[in-house]
Amino acid sequence: MSETVPQQFSEGVEQFNQGEFYACHDTLEALWMESTEPDKTFYQGILQIAVALYHLGNKNWRGSAILLGEGINRLRYYQPIYADINVEELIVQSSDLLIALQQSGSENIGEFVEYFQKNGTYRGSDGDLPMPKILKVMPG
C-alpha cells in the first residue's frame, strides 16, 4: 500500500462500520477494479465480508457463509495490520460470526437475523457478539 490510504477506501470503511454494506460494496468495488497487487486482494477480501454481511441482512445464509469464508481467507496474508486497518481483529470477528452462522444452521437464519436486529448483537459460543467492524490503527 502506498504511504497514503485512498480516500475511497476510508469512505468504504466508514460505510462498512455504519452497516451500509451495499454502499460499501459500490465504493470499494471501483477501487478494487483499478488496483494492483497486493492491494487488489486486500480490497477483495474486505468486499467479500461486506457482501456477506449484506447477504446476512437479507437472510441469505448460504451467500453469507460462503463469502465470509472467502473474505477471511483472502485477508489472512495481510495480518496483523495493513493499510492502517487491524486485519487480525476483522478476521477474528468475521470468523466468530461464520462459526455462529454455521452452528445456527440455514434453517434458523430468520431467527438469527431477527435477534441481531433486535439486540444489535448475535449469539456466539462466547455469548452475545457484535457484527464485525473495521478498526483503524494509528500509523507509526
Side-chain angles (χ1 to χ4, degrees):
M1 172 97 17
S2 63
E3 290 299 313
T4 58
V5 175
Q7 176 58 35
Q8 232 177 330
F9 181 67
S10 297
E11 183 180 330
V13 167
E14 189 174 312
Q15 291 165 329
F16 184 105
N17 287 339
Q18 292 175 353
E20 299 169 5
F21 302 115
Y22 193 83
C24 172
H25 167 267
D26 286 349
T27 299
L28 293 184
E29 186 175 48
L31 189 59
W32 168 66
M33 290 173 63
E34 296 170 3
S35 64
T36 58
E37 294 300 345
D39 296 342
K40 190 171 190 83
T41 298
F42 174 71
Y43 294 142
Q44 186 179 19
I46 291 179
L47 267 166
Q48 287 176 315
I49 291 173
V51 174
L53 296 174
Y54 176 78
H55 282 313
L56 182 60
N58 290 321
K59 300 178 183 175
N60 177 348
W61 183 90
R62 187 174 190 281
S64 183
I66 288 170
L67 285 170
L68 271 171
E70 290 180 1
I72 290 164
N73 284 334
R74 280 198 169 75
L75 291 178
R76 288 191 194 281
Y77 303 102
Y78 298 91
Q79 294 183 82
I81 295 168
Y82 189 81
D84 299 337
I85 297 299
N86 186 336
V87 178
E88 186 173 31
E89 184 61 25
L90 178 58
I91 289 172
V92 166
Q93 291 176 4
S94 298
S95 296
D96 287 346
L97 175 58
L98 179 57
I99 291 166
L101 266 176
Q102 291 169 332
Q103 289 173 342
S104 172
S106 62
E107 65 280 2
N108 297 313
I109 188 67
E111 181 182 308
F112 190 94
V113 172
E114 286 171 23
Y115 185 87
F116 171 73
Q117 290 171 339
K118 180 180 178 187
N119 300 292
T121 59
Y122 66 90
R123 291 184 187 127
S125 58
D126 294 332
D128 281 7
L129 299 169
M131 281 294 157
K133 296 283 187 206
I134 298 173
L135 304 175
K136 294 182 182 182
V137 295
M138 300 309 292

